[in-house]
mmCIF file of all heavy atoms in Angstrom:
data_model
loop_
_atom_site.group_PDB
_atom_site.id
_atom_site.type_symbol
_atom_site.label_atom_id
_atom_site.label_comp_id
_atom_site.label_asym_id
_atom_site.label_seq_id
_atom_site.Cartn_x
_atom_site.Cartn_y
_atom_site.Cartn_z
ATOM 1 N N GLU Z 48 -3.134 107.097 88.255
ATOM 2 C CA GLU Z 48 -2.779 105.853 87.567
ATOM 3 C C GLU Z 48 -2.880 105.989 86.048
ATOM 4 O O GLU Z 48 -2.312 105.191 85.321
ATOM 5 C CB GLU Z 48 -3.695 104.706 88.047
ATOM 6 C CG GLU Z 48 -3.332 104.217 89.432
ATOM 7 C CD GLU Z 48 -4.332 103.226 89.990
ATOM 8 O OE1 GLU Z 48 -5.312 102.896 89.292
ATOM 9 O OE2 GLU Z 48 -4.138 102.784 91.134
ATOM 10 N N LYS Z 49 -3.633 107.004 85.581
ATOM 11 C CA LYS Z 49 -3.807 107.176 84.139
ATOM 12 C C LYS Z 49 -2.770 108.109 83.529
ATOM 13 O O LYS Z 49 -2.698 108.244 82.306
ATOM 14 C CB LYS Z 49 -5.203 107.732 83.844
ATOM 15 C CG LYS Z 49 -6.326 106.771 84.218
ATOM 16 C CD LYS Z 49 -6.387 105.601 83.255
ATOM 17 C CE LYS Z 49 -7.489 104.633 83.658
ATOM 18 N NZ LYS Z 49 -7.573 103.481 82.760
ATOM 19 N N LEU Z 50 -1.984 108.767 84.378
ATOM 20 C CA LEU Z 50 -0.933 109.654 83.855
ATOM 21 C C LEU Z 50 0.025 108.842 82.987
ATOM 22 O O LEU Z 50 0.426 107.747 83.358
ATOM 23 C CB LEU Z 50 -0.170 110.328 84.996
ATOM 24 C CG LEU Z 50 -0.939 111.375 85.805
ATOM 25 C CD1 LEU Z 50 -0.080 111.875 86.961
ATOM 26 C CD2 LEU Z 50 -1.397 112.525 84.936
ATOM 27 N N GLY Z 51 0.356 109.361 81.817
ATOM 28 C CA GLY Z 51 1.276 108.662 80.932
ATOM 29 C C GLY Z 51 0.583 107.707 79.972
ATOM 30 O O GLY Z 51 1.215 107.162 79.083
ATOM 31 N N GLU Z 52 -0.747 107.496 80.162
ATOM 32 C CA GLU Z 52 -1.475 106.658 79.208
ATOM 33 C C GLU Z 52 -1.721 107.419 77.911
ATOM 34 O O GLU Z 52 -1.665 108.640 77.872
ATOM 35 C CB GLU Z 52 -2.817 106.210 79.815
ATOM 36 C CG GLU Z 52 -2.633 105.214 80.917
ATOM 37 C CD GLU Z 52 -3.647 104.089 80.868
ATOM 38 O OE1 GLU Z 52 -4.633 104.194 80.125
ATOM 39 O OE2 GLU Z 52 -3.449 103.116 81.594
ATOM 40 N N TRP Z 53 -2.012 106.689 76.870
ATOM 41 C CA TRP Z 53 -2.153 107.286 75.549
ATOM 42 C C TRP Z 53 -3.620 107.436 75.175
ATOM 43 O O TRP Z 53 -4.422 106.514 75.384
ATOM 44 C CB TRP Z 53 -1.445 106.433 74.510
ATOM 45 C CG TRP Z 53 0.043 106.358 74.737
ATOM 46 C CD1 TRP Z 53 0.687 105.503 75.594
ATOM 47 C CD2 TRP Z 53 1.055 107.174 74.144
ATOM 48 N NE1 TRP Z 53 2.041 105.743 75.561
ATOM 49 C CE2 TRP Z 53 2.292 106.754 74.672
ATOM 50 C CE3 TRP Z 53 1.026 108.209 73.208
ATOM 51 C CZ2 TRP Z 53 3.499 107.347 74.301
ATOM 52 C CZ3 TRP Z 53 2.224 108.790 72.831
ATOM 53 C CH2 TRP Z 53 3.445 108.360 73.375
ATOM 54 N N LEU Z 54 -3.967 108.612 74.657
ATOM 55 C CA LEU Z 54 -5.307 108.848 74.114
ATOM 56 C C LEU Z 54 -5.170 109.299 72.666
ATOM 57 O O LEU Z 54 -4.174 109.919 72.296
ATOM 58 C CB LEU Z 54 -6.027 109.958 74.899
ATOM 59 C CG LEU Z 54 -6.586 109.630 76.275
ATOM 60 C CD1 LEU Z 54 -7.261 110.860 76.860
ATOM 61 C CD2 LEU Z 54 -7.593 108.491 76.198
ATOM 62 N N ASN Z 55 -6.183 108.994 71.873
ATOM 63 C CA ASN Z 55 -6.198 109.476 70.504
ATOM 64 C C ASN Z 55 -6.683 110.920 70.502
ATOM 65 O O ASN Z 55 -7.796 111.209 70.935
ATOM 66 C CB ASN Z 55 -7.118 108.600 69.660
ATOM 67 C CG ASN Z 55 -7.073 108.999 68.204
ATOM 68 O OD1 ASN Z 55 -6.003 109.268 67.661
ATOM 69 N ND2 ASN Z 55 -8.219 109.058 67.580
ATOM 70 N N CYS Z 56 -5.835 111.850 70.032
ATOM 71 C CA CYS Z 56 -6.204 113.263 70.036
ATOM 72 C C CYS Z 56 -6.726 113.660 68.650
ATOM 73 O O CYS Z 56 -5.953 113.818 67.706
ATOM 74 C CB CYS Z 56 -5.020 114.130 70.433
ATOM 75 S SG CYS Z 56 -5.512 115.861 70.566
ATOM 76 N N VAL Z 57 -8.050 113.826 68.563
ATOM 77 C CA VAL Z 57 -8.647 114.199 67.271
ATOM 78 C C VAL Z 57 -8.363 115.666 66.963
ATOM 79 O O VAL Z 57 -8.415 116.082 65.803
ATOM 80 C CB VAL Z 57 -10.172 113.938 67.263
ATOM 81 C CG1 VAL Z 57 -10.451 112.441 67.309
ATOM 82 C CG2 VAL Z 57 -10.869 114.651 68.390
ATOM 83 N N LYS Z 58 -8.070 116.458 67.997
ATOM 84 C CA LYS Z 58 -7.753 117.874 67.759
ATOM 85 C C LYS Z 58 -6.429 118.000 66.999
ATOM 86 O O LYS Z 58 -6.295 118.882 66.149
ATOM 87 C CB LYS Z 58 -7.683 118.629 69.092
ATOM 88 C CG LYS Z 58 -9.042 118.753 69.755
ATOM 89 C CD LYS Z 58 -8.944 119.501 71.077
ATOM 90 C CE LYS Z 58 -10.313 119.692 71.708
ATOM 91 N NZ LYS Z 58 -10.197 120.343 73.035
ATOM 92 N N CYS Z 59 -5.471 117.150 67.294
ATOM 93 C CA CYS Z 59 -4.218 117.158 66.538
ATOM 94 C C CYS Z 59 -4.488 116.778 65.087
ATOM 95 O O CYS Z 59 -3.970 117.406 64.167
ATOM 96 C CB CYS Z 59 -3.228 116.157 67.143
ATOM 97 S SG CYS Z 59 -2.296 116.831 68.517
ATOM 98 N N ASP Z 60 -5.304 115.742 64.913
ATOM 99 C CA ASP Z 60 -5.573 115.261 63.557
ATOM 100 C C ASP Z 60 -6.233 116.341 62.705
ATOM 101 O O ASP Z 60 -6.031 116.408 61.495
ATOM 102 C CB ASP Z 60 -6.470 114.016 63.599
ATOM 103 C CG ASP Z 60 -5.739 112.836 64.217
ATOM 104 O OD1 ASP Z 60 -4.496 112.828 64.200
ATOM 105 O OD2 ASP Z 60 -6.411 111.921 64.732
ATOM 106 N N SER Z 61 -7.023 117.216 63.353
ATOM 107 C CA SER Z 61 -7.704 118.257 62.574
ATOM 108 C C SER Z 61 -6.996 119.618 62.683
ATOM 109 O O SER Z 61 -7.528 120.636 62.270
ATOM 110 C CB SER Z 61 -9.174 118.375 63.008
ATOM 111 O OG SER Z 61 -9.249 118.675 64.380
#
Side-chain angles (χ1 to χ4, degrees):
E48 285 172 1
K49 295 288 179 181
L50 290 176
E52 289 221 348
W53 296 83
L54 284 180
N55 185 43
C56 185
V57 292
K58 291 180 177 176
C59 276
D60 293 337
S61 58

